[in-house]
Amino acid sequence: MARIQNYANMNYWLVKSEPSEYGWDDLNSKGEELWDGIRNFQARNYLKEMKIGDQVLFYHSGKTKEIVGIAQVSEEAFPDPKDDENKGWVAIRIIPKKALKKPVNLEQIKSDDLLSSMPLLKQSRLSVMPVEKIQFEHIIKLSS
């Protein structure tokens, strides 16, 4: 039976990945990916909040530091298969939706008043974080 998603309650997120380890092109070629290996309590709690259909900005960390695509949560939190010690870590699954026409880089985000409160700037080491709907929509506009 298909699960019905209430898009009125959709949330927005940002996930970070080093493109040399796993980048947007990797997600796009696979079509769906397990997002696992997160070992930060706050990031884990955000993973637990993610719901099917939530929109996810895909951010390349490392040298480029830019948002390059939009993914979508395809499976909600479940036990992380890499959690060998059974410590309660979780994973989700995401699917690629579309690449941004123009990546939005960190300098643009820092210099934009609407984006200056993003956790990306306040908690730069966090790999999973929420994004406000207005910020998500603004980033999409900046990328077109």
Side-chain angles (χ1 to χ4, degrees):
M1 176 179 270
R3 182 169 174 192
I4 298 172
Q5 173 67 31
N6 181 355
Y7 290 104
N9 295 325
M10 183 185 320
N11 291 308
Y12 302 87
W13 306 95
L14 182 142
V15 297
K16 292 168 49 177
S17 183
E18 174 68 52
S20 62
E21 291 180 28
Y22 191 90
W24 174 256
D25 290 340
D26 298 308
L27 176 61
N28 211 36
S29 67
K30 282 192 95 172
E32 183 176 51
E33 185 60 87
L34 179 68
W35 206 258
D36 61 356
I38 304 300
R39 298 297 181 263
N40 172 285
F41 290 107
Q42 189 172 11
R44 179 203 58 193
N45 292 341
Y46 289 143
L47 286 175
K48 287 181 174 182
E49 291 179 32
M50 292 178 156
K51 301 296 178 205
I52 292 174
D54 282 0
Q55 302 297 294
V56 180
L57 296 170
F58 196 102
Y59 181 89
H60 279 170
S61 58
K63 291 182 182 178
T64 58
K65 294 181 177 52
E66 59 190 6
I67 299 169
V68 295
I70 303 169
Q72 185 174 26
V73 176
S74 58
E75 186 175 348
E76 295 175 11
F78 56 89
D80 185 335
K82 292 181 180 174
D83 185 4
D84 297 331
E85 297 177 15
N86 199 22
K87 292 193 173 192
W89 299 112
V90 298
I92 61 163
R93 288 190 191 280
I94 60 173
I95 56 174
K97 295 306 286 179
K98 71 176 188 174
L100 297 184
K101 289 179 185 174
K102 292 187 313 189
V104 178
N105 67 43
L106 185 59
E107 291 307 314
Q108 287 175 274
I109 294 167
K110 284 180 178 179
S111 65
D112 192 301
D113 289 342
L114 187 57
L115 304 177
S116 63
S117 65
M118 288 181 70
L120 178 65
L121 303 177
K122 310 282 186 204
Q123 298 171 290
S124 61
R125 297 191 46 83
L126 201 58
S127 62
V128 177
M129 59 195 72
V131 174
E132 294 176 20
K133 180 180 181 181
I134 192 167
Q135 292 171 330
F136 180 91
E137 291 171 347
H138 187 61
I139 288 167
I140 302 309
K141 286 179 189 170
L142 290 174
S143 73
S144 41

